[in-house]
């Protein structure tokens, strides 16, 4: 249906160079894809349900955490550690304690603050339920800010949103560290059994 290009157009040196460049580019792209597939690089936050660490993460019981922000973190961790809700026998317990520090920043000449900062430190302990042995201990810090305005309700909403963002940050970081720990532990067990 399409007419063929004139023979002079397909044989020009510019077209030949363009085709050679396109072929070279395609070859480099294919070679880089092959090289990256075998380098062992894996994204830390990737969803890997088939990994041994995923089963270990599902086997973590999250102990109750005090205060309202702690309750939200506890719920987020339960959801993030077992997103599919697969019933799994509990082998580990994650114990978490929170330390909250609120600070007023951006003090005006009238003495009123315009910006608040919430620093949250989560100290975690992963304990083997069978032996009672502590497997992992770590402290994670999250910092968020919120606006303080003259409307009290708007300030409460901003502070609640800062709490929500803190919970998301802490949960993501805790799960990342637990995933890394479980992956390394599985690799050690695999190396010892070989």
């Amino acid at each position: 249906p399409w007419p063929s290009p004139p023979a002079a157009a397909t044989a020009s040196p510019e077209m030949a160079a363009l085709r050679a460049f396109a072929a070279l580019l395609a070859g480099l792209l294919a070679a880089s894809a092959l090289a990256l597939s075998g380098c062992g690089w894996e994204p830390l936050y990737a969803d890997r349900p088939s990994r041994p660490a995923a089963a270990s993460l599902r086997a973590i019981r999250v102990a109750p955490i005090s205060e309202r922000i702690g309750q939200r973190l506890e719920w987020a961790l339960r959801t993030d550690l077992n997103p599919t809700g697969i019933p799994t026998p509990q082998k580990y317990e994650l114990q978490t304690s929170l330390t909250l520090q609120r600070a007023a920043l951006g003090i005006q000449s009238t003495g009123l603050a315009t910006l608040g900062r919430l620093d949250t430190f989560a100290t975690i302990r992963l304990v083997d339920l069978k032996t009672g042995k502590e497997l992992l201990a770590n402290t994670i810090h999250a910092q968020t800010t919120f606006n303080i305005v003259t409307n009290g309700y708007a300030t409460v909403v901003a502070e609640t949103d800062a709490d929500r963002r803190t919970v998301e940050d802490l949960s993501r970081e805790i799960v990342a560290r637990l995933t890394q720990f479980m992956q390394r532990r599985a690799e050690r067990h695999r190396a010892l059994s070989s």
Side-chain angles (χ1 to χ4, degrees):
W2 296 96
S4 311
T10 59
S12 72
E14 292 86 12
M15 287 300 287
L18 189 60
R19 279 195 200 103
F21 180 72
L24 176 67
L25 206 62
L28 286 174
L29 190 62
S32 65
L34 284 173
L36 281 178
S37 68
C39 75
W41 178 83
E42 294 181 53
L44 183 59
Y45 297 107
D47 183 23
R48 293 169 272 190
S50 62
R51 295 279 191 201
S56 296
L57 291 175
R58 286 192 305 270
I60 296 174
R61 177 176 68 208
V62 180
I65 306 170
S66 63
E67 301 199 32
R68 180 67 183 139
I69 193 170
Q71 293 170 346
R72 289 179 178 155
L73 178 60
E74 178 186 339
W75 182 255
L77 286 169
R78 286 181 181 169
T79 303
D80 292 347
L81 291 171
N82 190 359
T84 57
I86 298 171
T88 307
Q90 305 295 285
K91 296 179 183 177
Y92 313 100
E93 181 176 69
L94 179 65
Q95 301 168 352
T96 307
S97 62
L98 295 178
T99 304
L100 303 170
Q101 297 174 351
R102 296 182 192 273
L105 306 173
I107 309 294
Q108 296 177 340
S109 62
T110 59
L112 298 175
T114 59
L115 187 68
R117 183 180 71 206
L118 173 63
D119 286 297
T120 308
F121 297 88
T123 302
I124 61 168
R125 290 180 61 234
L126 184 66
V127 177
D128 187 313
L129 288 174
K130 190 179 288 185
T131 64
K133 180 182 172 190
E134 182 180 280
L135 303 174
L136 175 70
N138 221 313
T139 300
I140 294 106
H141 174 241
Q143 182 180 69
T144 54
T145 59
F146 57 95
N147 290 324
I148 300 173
V149 294
T150 54
N151 181 336
Y153 177 73
T155 300
V156 169
V157 169
E159 194 169 356
T160 302
D161 182 61
D163 288 350
R164 180 192 55 77
R165 288 181 283 133
T166 297
V167 165
E168 288 174 2
D169 290 347
L170 287 174
S171 181
R172 186 174 27 251
E173 185 62 29
I174 291 170
V175 170
R177 291 187 190 194
L178 290 171
T179 301
Q180 193 174 35
F181 171 76
M182 292 299 187
Q183 285 176 339
R184 287 182 180 157
R185 190 167 192 224
E187 289 168 6
R188 278 195 307 267
H189 285 300
R190 217 178 4 256
L192 290 174
S193 64
S194 300

